[in-house]
Amino acid sequence: MKEKILDLLRKKNNGYVSGEEISVKLNVSRMAVSKTVKKLKEEGYDISAVTHKGYRLVSRPDKPFGHEIKIGLGTRSLGRKDIFYYESVGSTNDEAYSVAEKGAPEGTVVISESQTRGKGRMGRKWESPTGGGVYMSVVLRPDVPIDQVPTITLVAALSVVNAIKKVSGITAGIKWPNDIMYNDKKLCGILTEIKAQPDKVDFLIVGIGINVNSKIKDLPDVATSIKEGTGKAVDRVLLVKSILSELENDYEIFQKKGFGALRDECKKFSLVLNKSVKITVHHKVTTGTAVDIDEKGALIVEDDRGKAQRVFSGDVVLAH
Ligand code: BT5
């Protein structure tokens, strides 16, 4: 009912719709209409009500509600099915995992205004304060061999960098494999989780956490936000829509042609290439110069004697 009323208000393009018209069109009582309008106002919609004229939608809140994301969304699959929205949830990745286990189709999205147990990699925490972040998880069911799955994190990083650029104008960089950085600080982290049989991927959850308009004091020292970078707040609904379209395009290319087709673009945004790096993977440390990202998304690290190693995942520290 909320969405249907919003639809009617939007169609009037700033004009008034009478309570009578809404109640007839939706086949509900005038009382029900006024109660729903009250709820919408509580959610942050500015709706003016004028006697004898009716209701007019003045503005919407900056909240990434599923029904707002769906308006004019140009994707074929991502965000086309359910978008589950929460004010607060433990972890959107856990929530997405659980709906995917129950059969949620590819493109299902879980998004929350805050997380109480936001997850980073390897048991680390993702700080997810309310009021300015994007915490979203997308269910994917790719038809690719399991060994190609980690590369999807890099594909998603590319999509997010492009979406941030389009919506806010800033060009962030990718710190292989899953961090998006701006001015040497972390703007976004990506956590991909998988459920698979020995030879087949059941589903993937791509979790994306971005500090958009977040208050810096609510974030760890290593963090920055888009708003801090530009001085301007970003419309989170537009950002999420842009992420879904970029990710859909890149994911399609990845499935059809492999990472090789996205590699050059990814390298363009890379912050690690030609730098001295120290990479830790399960207590194993690799040091050297990051010289390339290969066709499979692995980082090629060359030691002092020119011996190259392929690294598939890990924590990268850049030596300055
Ligand atoms: C990541 O892990 O960067 C993956 C983060 C994924 C978060 C999303 S939010 C939606 C979805 N649902 C979830 O539960 N998770 C995903 P990692 O590379 O391990 O980095 C974690 C480290 O980043 C922490 O140890 C902190 O140093 C730092 N960190 C924590 N919160 C941060 C924030 N809000 N902004 C920037 N850095 C942060």
Side-chain angles (χ1 to χ4, degrees), residues 13 28 41 43 57 64 66 82 115 160 163 189 218 225 243 246 265 276 313:
N13 272 334
V28 294
K41 284 182 168 178
E43 283 179 7
L57 179 61
D82 281 325
Q115 298 184 113
V160 173
D218 295 339
S225 70
I243 289 172
E246 294 289 329
E265 211 192 343
S276 296
S313 70

Side-chain angles (χ1 to χ4, degrees), residues 91-92 115 119-121 124-125 127 178 186 189 211 223:
S91 151
T92 56
Q115 298 184 113
K119 302 191 293 185
R121 295 177 303 157
R124 287 186 290 241
K125 200 173 165 207
E127 298 294 340
N178 75 315
K186 190 157 166 176
N211 307 316

Side-chain angles (χ1 to χ4, degrees), residues 124-168:
R124 287 186 290 241
K125 200 173 165 207
W126 185 256
E127 298 294 340
S128 313
T130 190
V134 161
Y135 316 109
M136 65 188 280
S137 301
V138 183
V139 177
L140 298 179
R141 295 184 181 273
D143 188 13
V144 297
I146 290 175
D147 66 343
Q148 285 187 29
V149 165
T151 319
I152 290 194
T153 302
L154 208 50
V155 173
L158 175 64
S159 315
V160 173
V161 165
N162 276 321
I164 290 177
K165 197 169 166 193
K166 281 196 176 141
V167 175
S168 75

Side-chain angles (χ1 to χ4, degrees), residues 58-69:
V58 180
S59 67
R60 64 167 167 81
D62 174 34
K63 289 261 198 165
F65 294 138
H67 55 88
E68 292 291 349
I69 292 164

Side-chain angles (χ1 to χ4, degrees), residues 73-272:
L73 181 67
T75 58
R76 286 169 294 279
S77 150
L78 304 196
R80 286 266 154 212
K81 300 282 174 5
D82 281 325
I83 299 182
F84 296 102
Y85 173 86
Y86 297 91
E87 280 301 315
S88 177
V89 76
S91 151
T92 56
N93 262 33
D94 290 351
E95 208 52 41
Y97 198 99
S98 130
V99 294
E101 276 197 309
K102 291 179 198 129
E106 174 157 286
T108 303
V109 174
V110 177
I111 187 156
S112 187
E113 181 67 348
S114 64
Q115 298 184 113
T116 52
R117 287 189 313 279
K119 302 191 293 185
R121 295 177 303 157
M122 291 168 279
R124 287 186 290 241
K125 200 173 165 207
W126 185 256
E127 298 294 340
S128 313
T130 190
V134 161
Y135 316 109
M136 65 188 280
S137 301
V138 183
V139 177
L140 298 179
R141 295 184 181 273
D143 188 13
V144 297
I146 290 175
D147 66 343
Q148 285 187 29
V149 165
T151 319
I152 290 194
T153 302
L154 208 50
V155 173
L158 175 64
S159 315
V160 173
V161 165
N162 276 321
I164 290 177
K165 197 169 166 193
K166 281 196 176 141
V167 175
S168 75
I170 65 174
T171 304
I174 303 173
K175 185 163 151 264
W176 184 96
N178 75 315
D179 290 349
I180 294 178
M181 313 286 290
Y182 189 68
N183 285 342
D184 289 333
K185 292 206 159 180
K186 190 157 166 176
L187 195 58
C188 163
I190 298 171
L191 173 68
T192 303
E193 295 183 285
I194 177 172
K195 180 162 187 217
Q197 311 300 322
D199 56 344
K200 189 183 163 297
V201 177
D202 284 344
F203 59 79
L204 288 185
I205 307 298
V206 178
I208 301 167
I210 314 174
N211 307 316
V212 185
N213 304 322
S214 327
K215 293 195 185 82
I216 293 303
K217 70 169 177 47
D218 295 339
L219 299 173
D221 289 347
V222 294
T224 187
S225 70
I226 299 182
K227 190 175 173 190
E228 192 183 45
T230 60
K232 272 197 297 199
V234 165
D235 185 326
R236 286 184 290 162
V237 171
L238 288 186
L239 180 61
V240 173
K241 282 163 77 164
S242 183
I243 289 172
L244 292 173
S245 359
E246 294 289 329
L247 182 59
E248 181 167 282
N249 279 339
D250 293 339
Y251 173 62
E252 262 179 34
I253 295 174
F254 172 73
Q255 287 211 92
K256 282 190 191 136
K257 302 186 181 161
F259 178 73
L262 297 164
R263 180 180 168 214
D264 282 346
E265 211 192 343
C266 233
K267 282 169 67 172
K268 206 174 74 190
F269 292 117
S270 175
L271 297 173
V272 300

